[in-house]
């Protein structure tokens, strides 16, 4: 596979998640944006027998791509040729029963225990800056067996403690905290993927396990509000391939909104990849 | 004594949210059904204006399906604004612009949050104290409606525990008296009024929704007053010819409104695609603090949604939306 010579930060994160997608597994993709596009990319290139649902209750659709603006759920192109049509309650209940192997989410803010904030930055109440709320993410994070979280490697997003837990990670990080809060046994955060890095969890704490070639471990740690664990061997990720970026740009995110085409880009200068912006 | 040591059969409240919640009263709801729902097969077809005027009161708890961009009951939403409804408590689940439109119109003062766009007008209303928000998630809201639709006071759920949303909600964490494990319970939601846009309905209110959805059936059964707007009014013989396709039975429905293109500018799946330019337009309006201008342009100058479609959209664009909806499989009975 040919390495791509120019790509955006967000494209890197989506390609990294796409390569995690496995045949024979079920995914609940948060509706639209990087989670859904990552799963679709993985399904297209690596794991055609991976299946997904979204929160409108669609089961295993074969969407007609690209989507129209904002129309990533409910709309006919998004739910076309599904195996079943359901409702939000059917999606929630299927996950509650254990049918969803992986949940894929994105967020504003994540903390050392994988807790997710999509509700408010700053103090809760009139003083804080309010965002949309958990949407379907709370149920995804609570009930899928494993959760993959996509976010940006930025100090304001990687914090010791989120301002507000909208969707649960390992809560206070103590053993059994999720079960004590009534959440299903053996579920929880599994990976955090950013344009620069991949984290797993060691004893319920975030641990850096992989980086892209154009960013050092120190540069990544500089963009964390606290010092996360670092694996003894930090794997170096393969850059996106030509094929991956072609599918992303021509079939999935044709307007460049989700891939943040206006954001930072990485280019091959003949010797190495260089990140600008 | 720790939870694990509790004898089975004992219920203990381990944690409780402090958020205000719509009162739970299953017997009151049953009495309302007994006294106010029409169980005779009698036509209940009326205009959006009449339906909203008769069945939406100031201060009502209101839920709608799905949202302004996706099979929304938009003639009814416009009518709420046009009639100057006040002090509504909104089920803000799976929704983008609707909460901002209703807050901007001065129609909503409380919202239960699953997901809605937080916009300048929402931020301002929160800062001024004219809007209160209580926290849930999309699925928790639809499960609350499920409980309301079952006639039970609460429902155990396996998500939501451990979140800060829980603290600002009506949820409780209890010990399950059967397994002795901690479990979250959420209060049933029986809205005063539900607005639902269906693909087809007969004059009695037997309604069909095709494709995916959020909680159409649950909202209809859980709500005291139900207004169904429909793309098409079909003959009851067509309903009887395929009873498995009925999403909502007539006795749950108080009013039926014929509303072709009723989800404009959004899509009614299988019938017409969205109008992308107008979808961006309403997004820009709410994100850019232009709600009042939006309302002044699209809602208040008109006596009806149909009049707006004629003046602002036109036949050419409406037919084009229909032509662009190329996926039709599954959207018929």
């Amino acid at each position: 596979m040919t390495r791509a010579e120019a790509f955006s930060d967000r494209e890197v994160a989506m390609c990294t998640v796409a390569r995690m997608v496995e045949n024979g597994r079920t995914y609940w993709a948060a509706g639209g944006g990087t989670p859904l596009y990552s799963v679709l990319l993985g399904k297209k290139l690596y794991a055609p027998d991976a299946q997904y649902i979204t929160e409108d209750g669609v089961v295993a659709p074969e969407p007609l791509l690209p989507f129209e603006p904002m129309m990533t759920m409910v709309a006919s192109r998004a739910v076309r040729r599904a195996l079943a049509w359901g409702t939000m309650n059917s999606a929630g209940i299927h996950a509650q029963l254990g049918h969803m192997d992986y949940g894929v989410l994105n967020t504003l803010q994540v903390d050392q225990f994988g807790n997710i904030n999509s509700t408010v930055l700053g103090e809760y109440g009139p003083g804080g800056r309010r965002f949309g709320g958990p949407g379907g993410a709370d149920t995804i994070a609570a009930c899928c067996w494993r959760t993959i979280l996509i976010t940006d490697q930025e100090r304001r997003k990687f914090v010791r403690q989120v301002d507000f837990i909208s969707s649960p990670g390992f809560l206070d990080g103590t053993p059994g905290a999720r079960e004590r809060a009534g959440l299903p046994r053996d579920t929880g955060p599994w990976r955090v993927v950013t344009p620069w890095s991949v984290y797993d969890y060691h004893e319920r704490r975030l641990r850096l396990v992989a980086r892209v070639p154009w960013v050092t471990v120190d540069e990544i740690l500089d963009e964390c509000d606290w010092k996360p664990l670092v694996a003894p061997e930090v794997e170096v990720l393969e850059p996106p391939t030509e094929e991956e970026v072609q599918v992303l740009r021509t079939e999935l995110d044709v307007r460049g909104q989700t891939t943040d085409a206006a954001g930072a880009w990485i280019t091959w200068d003949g010797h190495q990849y260089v990140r600008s912006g | 004594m720790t939870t694990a040591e509790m004898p089975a059969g004992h219920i203990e409240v381990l944690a409780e949210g402090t958020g205000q919640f719509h009162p739970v009263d299953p017997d009151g709801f049953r009495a309302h059904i007994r006294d106010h729902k029409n169980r005779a097969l009698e036509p209940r077809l009326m205009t959006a204006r009449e339906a909203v005027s008769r069945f939406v009161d100031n201060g009502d708890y209101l839920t709608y399906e799905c949202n302004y961009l996706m099979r929304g009951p938009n003639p009814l939403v416009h009518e709420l604004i046009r009639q100057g409804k006040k002090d509504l408590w909104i089920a803000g689940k799976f929704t983008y612009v609707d909460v901002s439109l209703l807050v901007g119109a001065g129609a909503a003062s409380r919202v239960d949050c699953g997901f809605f766009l937080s916009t300048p007008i929402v931020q301002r209303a929160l800062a001024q104290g004219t809007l209160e928000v209580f926290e849930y998630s999309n699925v928790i809201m639809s499960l609350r409606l499920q409980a309301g639709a079952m006639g039970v006071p609460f429902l155990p759920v396996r998500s939501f525990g451990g979140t800060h949303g829980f603290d600002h909600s009506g949820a409780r964490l209890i010990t399950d008296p059967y397994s002795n494990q901690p479990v979250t319970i959420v209060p049933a939601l029986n809205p005063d009024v539900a607005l639902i846009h269906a693909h087809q309905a007969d004059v009695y209110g037997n309604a069909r929704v095709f494709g995916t959805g959020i909680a159409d059936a649950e909202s209809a059964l859980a709500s005291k007053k139900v207004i169904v707007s429909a793309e098409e009014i079909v003959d009851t013989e067509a309903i009887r010819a395929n009873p498995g396709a009925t999403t909502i039975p007539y006795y749950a429905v108080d009013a039926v409104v014929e509303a072709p293109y009723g989800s404009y500018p959004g899509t009614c799946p299988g019938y017409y695609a969205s109008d992308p330019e107008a979808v961006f337009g309403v997004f820009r309006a709410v994100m850019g603090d232009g709600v009042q201008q939006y309302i002044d342009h699209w809602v208040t100058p008109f006596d009806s949604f149909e009049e707006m479609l004629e003046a602002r959209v036109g036949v050419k664009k409406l037919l084009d939306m229909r032509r662009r909806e190329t996926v039709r499989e599954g959207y018929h009975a």
Side-chain angles (χ1 to χ4, degrees):
Chain A
M1 276 180 287
T2 322
R3 289 175 165 191
E5 299 212 341
F7 38 83
S8 73
D9 250 0
R10 289 264 173 83
E11 286 177 331
V12 177
M14 289 157 75
C15 293
T16 303
V17 174
R19 294 170 193 180
M20 294 175 175
V21 175
E22 299 167 55
N23 276 325
R25 298 292 181 183
T26 46
Y27 292 78
W28 182 347
T34 51
L36 182 56
Y37 288 149
S38 300
V39 170
L40 286 167
L41 180 64
K43 202 169 145 51
K44 175 98 185 163
L45 294 181
Y46 305 118
D49 188 31
Q51 308 299 346
Y52 74 91
I53 69 167
T54 53
E55 67 190 82
D56 58 333
V58 72
V59 177
E62 294 178 357
L64 184 59
L65 298 167
F67 300 120
E68 297 209 329
M70 299 307 300
M71 298 293 156
T72 56
M73 291 182 280
V74 182
S76 67
R77 293 173 72 97
V79 303
R80 165 183 168 267
R81 290 181 49 79
L83 297 178
W85 279 342
T87 64
M88 183 168 284
N89 278 330
S90 70
I93 288 166
H94 293 184
Q96 189 163 285
L97 287 164
H99 286 294
M100 292 301 121
D101 291 307
Y102 291 92
V104 189
L105 300 171
N106 54 7
T107 187
L108 276 180
Q109 213 183 37
V110 60
D111 69 18
Q112 59 178 329
F113 301 120
N115 297 307
I116 295 168
N117 177 15
S118 47
T119 302
V120 65
L121 286 182
E123 201 179 321
Y124 183 79
R129 184 171 172 216
R130 192 174 174 96
F131 289 84
D138 169 53
T139 306
I140 296 175
C143 294
C144 296
W145 290 107
R146 292 172 158 181
T147 307
I148 301 171
L149 180 66
I150 306 171
T151 190
D152 294 323
Q153 185 68 63
E154 292 175 21
R155 186 177 274 263
R156 66 196 175 98
K157 296 192 173 182
F158 269 72
V159 295
R160 181 181 296 278
Q161 190 176 4
V162 289
D163 297 337
F164 190 97
I165 301 178
S166 311
S167 304
F170 288 113
L171 301 176
D172 67 4
T174 57
R178 286 172 63 94
E179 290 80 357
R180 285 195 301 279
L183 304 182
R185 191 166 60 212
D186 298 335
T187 55
W190 184 65
R191 293 287 184 273
V192 172
V193 175
T194 82
W196 295 7
S197 50
V198 177
Y199 299 79
D200 70 359
Y201 292 84
H202 178 72
E203 292 180 343
R204 298 166 300 283
R205 278 173 201 269
L206 273 183
R207 176 173 71 171
L208 180 67
V209 291
R211 65 174 177 89
V212 292
W214 51 91
V215 177
T216 65
V217 168
D218 284 344
E219 285 173 314
I220 292 167
L221 297 182
D222 271 351
E223 288 292 346
C224 294
D225 188 45
W226 87 108
K227 192 169 170 3
L229 303 173
V230 178
E233 294 289 324
V234 175
E235 185 197 342
V236 178
L237 296 164
E238 276 297 311
T241 66
E242 276 297 337
E243 198 180 19
E244 286 169 339
V245 298
Q246 187 185 334
V247 171
L248 275 175
R249 293 173 199 171
T250 62
E251 295 182 44
L252 296 175
D253 187 33
V254 293
R255 291 165 200 86
Q257 286 177 323
T258 300
T259 48
D260 191 26
W265 278 69
I266 297 94
T267 51
W268 178 253
D269 72 359
H271 305 284
Q272 60 179 348
Y273 284 101
V274 181
R275 183 174 181 275
S276 63
Chain B
M1 204 159 33
T2 67
T3 302
E5 292 163 342
M6 289 281 180
H10 183 89
I11 296 182
E12 191 191 357
V13 176
L14 304 169
E16 47 191 312
T18 57
Q20 189 189 358
F21 55 92
H22 189 57
V24 174
D25 179 13
D27 279 329
F29 184 75
R30 283 176 55 86
H32 177 92
I33 297 287
R34 179 191 61 205
D35 297 339
H36 297 287
K37 292 281 185 183
N38 185 356
R39 287 179 287 282
L41 268 178
E42 290 171 352
R44 53 211 70 181
L45 193 61
M46 60 189 81
T47 63
R49 172 181 285 183
E50 185 185 357
V52 168
S53 163
R54 278 178 60 184
F55 295 110
V56 185
D57 295 312
N58 292 338
D60 273 357
Y61 190 109
L62 181 138
T63 190
Y64 51 79
E65 302 289 331
C66 300
N67 63 58
Y68 201 73
L69 308 179
M70 297 160 175
R71 193 167 42 75
N74 298 351
L76 305 175
V77 173
H78 281 208
E79 204 54 44
L80 294 175
I81 296 171
R82 199 178 286 123
Q83 293 186 21
K85 298 296 181 185
K86 297 278 178 234
D87 206 23
L88 300 173
W89 187 346
I90 307 292
K93 64 181 178 358
F94 193 73
T95 194
Y96 303 96
V97 301
D98 314 55
V99 168
S100 295
L101 294 178
L102 292 171
V103 169
S109 58
R110 285 176 285 191
V111 181
D112 285 343
C113 176
F115 180 89
F116 61 88
L117 286 179
S118 182
T119 62
I121 205 140
V122 165
Q123 297 277 4
R124 200 155 54 238
L126 285 171
Q128 291 167 350
T130 53
L131 178 68
E132 277 184 285
V133 181
F134 309 104
E135 311 293 344
Y136 296 91
S137 74
N138 280 346
V139 174
I140 291 298
M141 288 301 292
S142 62
L143 287 170
R144 291 182 64 199
L145 288 164
Q146 172 71 50
M150 292 165 71
V152 297
F154 61 85
L155 195 67
V157 298
R158 299 304 307 281
S159 56
F160 203 44
T163 66
H164 289 140
F166 177 103
D167 301 339
H168 301 279
S169 78
R172 308 277 184 264
L173 184 71
I174 63 164
T175 49
D176 161 20
Y178 301 103
S179 70
N180 216 26
Q181 299 299 309
V183 69
T184 297
I185 59 172
V186 293
L189 180 54
N190 288 111
D192 295 301
V193 59
L195 312 179
I196 300 166
H197 191 65
H199 288 80
Q200 301 176 335
D202 69 7
V203 294
Y204 309 117
N206 297 296
R208 292 164 162 172
V209 170
F210 304 126
T212 62
I214 302 308
D216 299 284
E218 296 92 324
S219 287
L221 291 171
S223 298
K224 285 185 172 174
K225 300 172 285 183
V226 176
I227 308 175
V228 170
S229 58
E231 287 291 323
E232 297 182 272
I233 302 302
V234 298
D235 198 277
T236 302
E237 280 309 305
I239 301 286
R240 289 193 186 279
N242 190 356
T246 305
T247 311
I248 301 165
Y250 78 97
Y251 47 66
V253 177
D254 297 278
V256 178
V257 173
E258 185 175 10
Y261 289 102
S263 295
Y264 183 89
T267 178
C268 184
Y271 279 36
Y272 48 87
S274 69
D275 177 354
E277 191 186 345
V279 165
F280 278 127
V282 68
F283 252 88
R284 273 196 300 271
V286 300
M287 296 309 289
D289 212 3
V291 171
Q292 192 56 53
Q293 293 92 313
Y294 184 88
I295 289 169
D296 290 346
H297 185 77
W298 292 95
V299 182
T300 38
F302 307 106
D303 283 334
S304 70
F305 199 77
E306 234 174 67
E307 203 177 280
M308 178 280 289
L309 288 175
E310 191 169 355
R312 293 280 187 254
V313 188
V315 171
K316 186 175 178 305
K317 184 169 268 182
L318 294 175
L319 292 177
D320 185 54
M321 289 165 65
R322 185 151 295 211
R323 185 182 56 71
R324 283 191 296 103
E325 185 68 340
T326 55
V327 178
R328 298 294 176 97
E329 299 87 351
Y331 296 97
H332 46 78

